[in-house]
Amino acid sequence: MSELIENIGELMSQDAEVGTLANAALVVEGERIAWIGSSAKAPAADTRTDAQGRAVLPGWVDSHTHLIFAGDRTAEFEARMAGESYSAGGIAVSVEATRAASDYDLTRMGLGRVAEALSQGTTFLETKTGYGLDVEHERRSARIASTVADAVTFLGAHLVPAGIDADSYTDLVCTDMLAAVLPYVQWADVFCERGAFTAEQSRKVLEACRAAGLGLRVHGNQLGHGEGVALAVEFGAASVDHVNFLTDDDVSRLAQSWSGWDGDANAGRGGGTRGTVATVLPACDLSTRAPLAPARALLDAGVPVAIASNCNPGTSYTSSMAFCVTTAVLQMGLSVHEAVRAATFGGALALGRETGVDADGQRAVGSLAVGHRADLHMLKAPSATHLAYRPGIPLTAGVWRAGKRKV
C-alpha cells in the first residue's frame, strides 16, 4: 500500500539534496519514502492524506535516554531546586528501586515511556542500562531494553555501587558484566566524571568494550572540566554527551576528529573516518541548574551536534524533544533549523543511522529522502518555527513510524 501526504506547508527534510520545500508532498510505500516533490506534481497513491498546510519534519531521533528504571527521585529534585548541587550519587536510589522491580513492571514502564515519546514525535530512540550495576541486573536491563528501544547501550560504568572497590568494580564491568549483556547491546558508554569513573578506569572500560565489538559513547564534561572529551576522541567514540564544561582545546579536538571525513560532516555526505558528535542535553542542564552546553560554539567550530532528551528519573524526567529544541533555540543560541537538525539528523549521526537506503532494518532515519525510513512528524503549525515561537504548546498533529501512522 502507498500513501500520498500532500499539501505540506513546509517540508523540512534535513537531507542536503532535498532541502526545505514549500507546498510539498511525499509518498510512503511500505516502510520507505518512495517520492518527494511539489504537491502539484504528486503521483497517484492508494490513499491520500491532506496535511492542510501543516509542517512535516523527520521524526525526532533521541540518541540518549535511560528508560529502564523504577522508582522516584522527586525528593532529590526538590532539594536541588532548593539549592543543593547535583552529584552522581543519586543514581544509587534508582538502582535500588530498579533491582526490586519485576521484569513485567520494568518492561511495562519502559514501553510506556517509549509510547509517551512517540506521541510527541520521537520515532527512533536509544536507551541505556545502568540502573542494575551487577551482572544479573545489568543483563536483565539490557534484555528488557532490547525489546523496547531501537538501539541499546551498555552503561554498567554508570556509578560504582556503595561498598565495592572502584577498581574491582571496573574489572567486573570489563569482564563478566560485559559478557552477560553482549547479546543485547550495540553500544557501550562510561560516565567519566568526578564521583563516577576516573579517566584511567574509563579507558579500561572503553578498551574492553571496543575489543568486544561494541560502538562507543562517553558521558563527559558534565560536572566540570575533565578528560571525557579527550577520551571520546582518542577512542573514536560516536558521541560524547553532556559537554557542559569545554575548553578551547576540547572544542578543537572534536572539530579535528572529523578531519578524516571526506565531505561535509554536518551534512553527512562523504566517507572516511567518522568523528565524534557532541550531544547536548538541554533539559538536563535546566534540571541540574548547570551551565548550558555551548552548542553555539560547537556548531561555529564545525562540530556536528545532536540534541537528546536524557530522559531519566533523576536529572531529566522528560521525553519531550520539542521542549529540548525550544530550549536550544531560546537559551542556547541555535536557530530553529539548527535545533531541529540536531534533534533529527544529529541524533541519527550519533547513532550511525544517518545513511542507508532501501535496506530493510537499516534505512536512514533523521532525514527525509527517497529510500529513507518513513519516520514523519507532522505539526499543528505551518512551519517548524512555531516550536520555539509557541513554547510549551503541544504541536504534534501526526506521527508515522516506519511508514505506519501511530498518532
Side-chain angles (χ1 to χ4, degrees):
M1 293 288 290
S2 60
E3 178 184 9
L4 169 64
I5 304 173
E6 59 185 344
N7 195 21
I8 298 170
E10 175 187 77
L11 191 147
M12 189 179 281
S13 76
Q14 302 307 324
D15 181 80
E17 295 182 0
V18 176
T20 298
L21 304 177
N23 302 315
L26 60 81
V27 173
V28 174
E29 200 171 71
E31 294 187 357
R32 66 191 287 275
I33 297 171
W35 181 89
I36 293 179
S38 167
S39 197
K41 299 179 180 179
D46 296 315
T47 62
R48 298 162 66 96
T49 297
D50 187 352
Q52 299 178 334
R54 299 184 178 102
V56 171
L57 322 171
W60 304 126
V61 178
D62 194 348
S63 61
H64 184 130
T65 78
H66 303 254
L67 301 182
I68 310 303
F69 67 86
D72 180 273
R73 285 161 66 182
T74 305
E76 175 190 331
F77 177 80
E78 290 179 341
R80 199 161 58 245
M81 295 304 100
E84 291 188 15
S85 60
Y86 170 68
S87 69
I91 293 165
V93 176
S94 295
V95 171
E96 182 179 2
T98 302
R99 288 179 177 179
S102 68
D103 286 15
Y104 173 82
D105 282 340
L106 285 180
T107 303
R108 174 182 57 80
M109 290 185 288
L111 288 170
R113 292 164 189 142
V114 171
E116 182 180 69
L118 179 64
S119 73
Q120 302 172 83
T122 299
T123 53
F124 196 95
L125 60 79
E126 175 266 12
T127 201
K128 307 176 193 299
T129 70
Y131 295 127
L133 304 191
D134 63 23
V135 173
E136 174 190 355
H137 290 98
E138 280 295 295
R139 178 183 174 87
R140 180 175 73 141
S141 292
R143 174 175 52 79
I144 292 171
S146 71
T147 69
V148 305
D150 298 290
V152 183
T153 300
F154 169 45
L155 185 57
H158 200 186
L159 185 74
V160 178
I164 299 179
D165 175 74
D167 289 333
S168 297
Y169 180 74
T170 300
D171 289 341
L172 180 67
V173 169
C174 296
T175 55
D176 293 353
M177 194 180 290
L178 173 58
V181 303
L182 203 55
Y184 308 106
V185 303
Q186 301 83 46
W187 300 93
D189 199 344
V190 59
F191 193 5
C192 181
E193 197 66 70
R194 68 174 187 264
F197 290 82
T198 66
E200 181 181 357
Q201 292 160 351
S202 298
R203 177 181 295 277
K204 289 181 180 179
V205 172
L206 293 171
E207 287 174 343
C209 292
R210 180 172 63 182
L214 297 179
L216 304 179
R217 348 188 62 78
V218 175
H219 277 57
N221 300 63
Q222 177 186 6
L223 305 180
H225 295 291
E227 297 184 62
V229 166
L231 277 174
V233 171
E234 177 188 340
F235 278 84
S239 71
V240 57
D241 302 17
H242 285 291
V243 295
N244 299 84
F245 293 89
L246 298 181
T247 64
D248 290 344
D249 284 346
D250 289 327
V251 175
S252 179
R253 283 189 186 96
L254 288 167
Q256 285 298 312
S257 74
W258 291 92
S259 63
W261 184 254
D262 179 21
D264 183 352
N266 281 293
R269 303 290 178 183
T273 304
R274 293 170 56 91
T276 299
V277 175
T279 300
V280 300
L281 309 169
C284 179
D285 296 350
L286 295 179
S287 177
T288 58
R289 292 184 169 169
L292 292 164
R296 175 75 272 152
L298 287 162
L299 284 175
D300 288 345
V303 179
V305 169
I307 290 173
S309 74
N310 191 27
C311 183
N312 77 83
T315 61
S316 186
Y317 201 176
T318 181
S319 57
S320 174
M321 290 289 280
F323 174 73
C324 296
V325 165
T326 299
T327 301
V329 174
L330 297 182
Q331 296 190 273
M332 299 174 83
L334 272 61
S335 70
V336 171
H337 186 275
E338 288 169 333
V340 169
R341 184 168 184 78
T344 53
F345 178 85
L349 191 65
L351 293 172
R353 286 298 302 269
E354 82 284 1
T355 61
V357 178
D358 284 341
D360 287 343
Q362 292 298 319
R363 292 190 179 95
V365 299
S367 56
L368 305 179
V370 173
H372 291 197
R373 200 169 90 168
D375 289 355
L376 316 174
H377 183 198
M378 183 184 292
L379 303 182
K380 298 175 184 175
S383 74
T385 300
H386 283 244
L387 291 164
Y389 178 51
R390 305 190 67 205
I393 303 301
L395 291 179
T396 297
V399 181
W400 287 253
R401 183 181 184 278
K404 295 182 179 179
R405 187 162 189 175
K406 302 294 185 177
V407 177

